[in-house]
Structures are given as C-alpha cells and as structure tokens.
C-alpha cells in the first residue's frame, strides 16, 4: 500500500472540515497544486502608486542581493522595466550572469501588471516559467514588460464563466548591445472570483 502524499492530507483535512465550513471555504483548503487559494494575503489588496510600488520592490532583499533593480513602472501599470548589473554576487564560475538571477529578474512582473489592471475580483498567480539561455550574459542586462487592452480583454473573456485561464507571456532579457541573452515564457493562473450570488446559489 502506497503511503499517503502531502496533497492527500490536504484533501482529507478539507473533507473533515466540510461540516464546519461552506463548500467554498473547504475548497480553499485543498493544496495549491490542484486549486490555488483565492486568498493571496493582505498585500494583494494594497494599491500604492507606481512610484511607491517600484520603491517597495527595490527594497525587497532577494532583489537587492541579486543586484536587480526596477527602473520604471508606468503610472497605469501597463509597462515595467527591470535591470541587473553584473557584480561578484551574481556572477557564476564562467564569469557570466548566474542563470537563476536572470530568471528572478522576470519573476513577478506580468502577474503584478495584470493584477493591478484586471481588478480585485480576479485571482492572479505565477504558475510556471521556462527559460531558454541564448547567449552568455555579461554586464548590465534588462527586461521590459508590457500589457495592453487586448490582453486584458482576452483574460476577461476567457474567465467570464468562472473557469481558470492559464495564458502564456514571453519576455526577453537583453544585454547592453541589444542582444537577447535569455528568453522566458511565463504561465499565469487567472480566475474570476465568484460573486456572492454565485457562491450562495439560487435562493
């Protein structure tokens, strides 16, 4: 007999609590791998202006340690630009940028831009990422992110019935000469949160 997995405990726990909680709350107790929690913490409801968001991100210790800095977030949260200087702490044994840092500098930005534009009635998670290293990365590298009305309209259309949507967005990391040193594909998990009427059902 196979031993139970961690996810099995989550499901068992949700089932045991079903008599105490509504179905919606019990569903939120299931592991994130099968059904991401609707609650994303109090910070997802914070709406600081773009300049203050940039300051907060630039003070985040993992970014400081990796030498990652947000240069620009547009006031409408449609664009963001990030740079990373090469230094001792983010250089690998081959004298080029550490690949994990190239990955990290692209991590939260599509989710952030979409979340700030799509509204609080949506759940937005980073779900998966894939990176292709094109060239050895040296010196200062940058990545630029952009969303537009077409992206937001597509999300609203795909999630209108309450189903999850997992769109993919690409971003390139370029060096000082404009060469693409890495290409990253981001998969997001997006779902419209149910309204009160949808949660309670017909009366």
């Amino acid at each position: 007999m196979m031993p139970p997995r961690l996810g099995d405990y989550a499901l068992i726990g949700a089932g045991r609590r079903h008599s105490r909680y509504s179905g919606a709350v019990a569903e939120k107790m299931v592991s994130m791998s099968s059904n991401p929690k609707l609650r994303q913490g109090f910070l997802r409801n914070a709406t600081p202006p773009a300049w203050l968001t940039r300051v907060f991100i630039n003070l985040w210790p993992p970014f400081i340690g990796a030498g990652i800095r947000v240069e620009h977030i547009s006031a409408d949260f449609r664009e963001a630009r990030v740079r990373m200087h090469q230094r001792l702490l983010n250089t690998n044994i081959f004298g080029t940028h550490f690949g994990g840092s190239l990955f990290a500098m692209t991590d939260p930005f599509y989710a952030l831009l979409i979340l700030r534009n799509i509204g609080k009635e949506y759940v937005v998670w980073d779900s998966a990422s894939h990176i292709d290293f094109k060239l050895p990365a040296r010196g200062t590298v940058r990545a630029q992110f952009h969303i537009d009305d077409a992206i937001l309209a597509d999300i609203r259309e795909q999630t209108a019935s309450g189903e999850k949507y997992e769109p993919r967005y690409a971003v390139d990391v370029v060096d000082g000469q404009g060469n693409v040193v890495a290409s990253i594909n981001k998969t997001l998990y997006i779902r419209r949160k149910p309204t009160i009427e949808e949660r309670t059902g017909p009366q």
Side-chain angles (χ1 to χ4, degrees), residues 1-52:
M1 180 178 179
M2 293 292 292
R5 298 168 298 177
L6 181 61
D8 297 331
Y9 287 117
L11 290 169
I12 293 170
R16 288 176 177 173
R17 292 173 175 82
H18 187 73
S19 60
R20 295 179 55 198
Y21 300 95
S22 69
V25 175
E27 184 181 6
K28 288 161 62 177
M29 295 177 182
V30 180
S31 64
M32 180 180 168
S33 62
S34 60
N35 186 11
K37 295 179 181 180
L38 293 181
R39 180 170 297 179
Q40 292 184 298
F42 72 95
L43 286 177
R44 68 99 55 214
N45 293 318
T47 55
W51 69 269
L52 188 56

Side-chain angles (χ1 to χ4, degrees), residues 104-182:
M105 70 181 292
T106 68
D107 184 33
F109 295 100
Y110 274 125
L112 171 65
L113 298 183
I114 289 173
L115 183 62
R116 288 299 301 267
N117 277 276
I118 203 70
K120 294 181 180 180
E121 64 271 23
Y122 288 83
V123 176
V124 182
W125 288 101
D126 262 314
S127 176
S129 297
H130 175 81
I131 187 168
D132 287 319
F133 298 103
K134 305 291 188 179
L135 291 172
R138 297 183 176 89
T140 298
V141 295
R142 286 180 168 84
Q144 188 153 340
F145 307 82
H146 173 77
I147 64 171
D148 55 23
D149 290 337
I151 287 177
L152 299 174
D154 175 61
I155 291 171
R156 292 189 175 99
E157 179 181 356
Q158 298 294 333
T159 59
S161 62
E163 294 297 315
K164 70 177 181 180
Y165 183 39
E166 296 180 299
R168 295 181 180 181
Y169 305 107
V171 60
D172 290 332
V173 179
V174 300
D175 63 16
Q177 290 71 48
N179 301 310
V180 175
V181 298

Side-chain angles (χ1 to χ4, degrees), residues 55-69 84-85 87 89-90:
V55 170
F56 285 157
I57 295 175
N58 284 336
L59 292 175
W60 192 38
F63 272 21
I64 293 176
I68 300 168
R69 188 166 185 83
M84 180 170 62
H85 291 310
R87 57 189 189 181
L89 294 180
N90 61 16

